Amino acid sequence: MIELGAVAWPPPTPLRTERLVLRQSEARDRAAFIDLFASPEVGTYVGGARPRAELERTGPAVPGRRPGFFVIDVDGAMIGMVTLDRRGPERRGHVRPEGGEVELGYMFLPEAGHGYAGEACTAALDWLADALPDEPVVLCTQSANDRAMRLAAKLGFTEVERFEEFGAEQWFGVRSPVTPSG
């Protein structure tokens, strides 16, 4: 992970949408993190579920406490996470020759329900557009992940390329910086 750079972290106040709060992780989120990473359903397109016992033994007291990492909170409970990280130059898929673009990632507990991903990702992308206005954002997902592909289109990502990585075809797209109108 390469940090975001000159962005003040954490934001001075949590990000709020109509139904969600995007905030820094806290110790009370640990059990939800374990559920998230141990879930076979969640692990389908991200390399599989991790063993629960290993997560309980090795997981930090406050998981995800780093720049660009938002917990998605509904009514005081974590339902998922959104990440904004620099994409490592050693990875395939870039829109700059030197790499290092901001990459959007997200994961949700299976019981979280539908419709939250677009709302949470939009809030994180809007925050980033204010913090780094000229920054393109990239997204990479398995092309077999229909839900992620639909969300990428809804969020304004356009395909740059497809390639093999982690034993599957990956879809790589970019969301160009939004130019303020007026």
Side-chain angles (χ1 to χ4, degrees):
M1 175 196 69
I2 304 168
E3 293 192 9
L4 292 176
V7 176
W9 189 263
T13 59
L15 308 182
R16 296 185 185 281
T17 71
E18 185 177 321
R19 303 178 297 165
L20 307 171
V21 175
L22 278 70
R23 59 171 172 79
Q24 242 189 327
S25 63
E26 300 171 359
R28 66 185 168 117
D29 302 318
R30 189 173 191 274
F33 271 98
I34 291 169
D35 290 345
L36 184 68
F37 286 100
S39 167
E41 185 179 338
V42 172
T44 299
Y45 298 107
V46 294
R50 301 216 5 234
R52 179 174 292 280
E54 174 190 323
L55 292 165
E56 289 173 353
R57 188 179 68 255
T58 62
V62 183
R65 192 46 94 80
R66 62 179 172 75
F69 192 105
F70 292 101
V71 163
I72 303 159
D73 182 307
V74 173
D75 298 327
M78 177 186 156
I79 64 162
M81 61 187 215
V82 172
T83 59
L84 297 165
D85 293 309
R86 296 277 177 193
R87 188 168 176 84
E90 74 285 353
R91 301 272 316 275
R92 293 200 49 198
H94 291 285
V95 294
R96 295 183 188 145
E98 71 279 8
E101 305 89 349
V102 174
E103 181 172 19
L104 174 70
Y106 56 90
M107 295 170 73
F108 287 82
L109 291 165
E111 61 271 17
H114 298 286
Y116 290 122
E119 189 174 335
C121 289
T122 297
L125 289 166
D126 288 349
W127 171 81
L128 184 69
D130 286 341
L132 296 172
D134 297 323
E135 187 73 33
V137 181
V138 298
L139 183 145
C140 191
T141 187
Q142 285 188 20
S143 58
N145 188 342
D146 294 331
R147 289 173 67 185
M149 297 289 290
R150 286 191 302 274
L151 181 58
K154 178 181 174 183
L155 294 172
F157 286 86
T158 57
E159 184 174 336
V160 174
E161 66 178 309
R162 292 182 188 220
F163 51 84
E164 282 287 316
E165 189 177 45
F166 308 120
E169 182 184 67
Q170 304 295 316
W171 180 94
F172 178 79
V174 65
R175 183 176 192 248
S176 296
V178 177
T179 305
S181 58

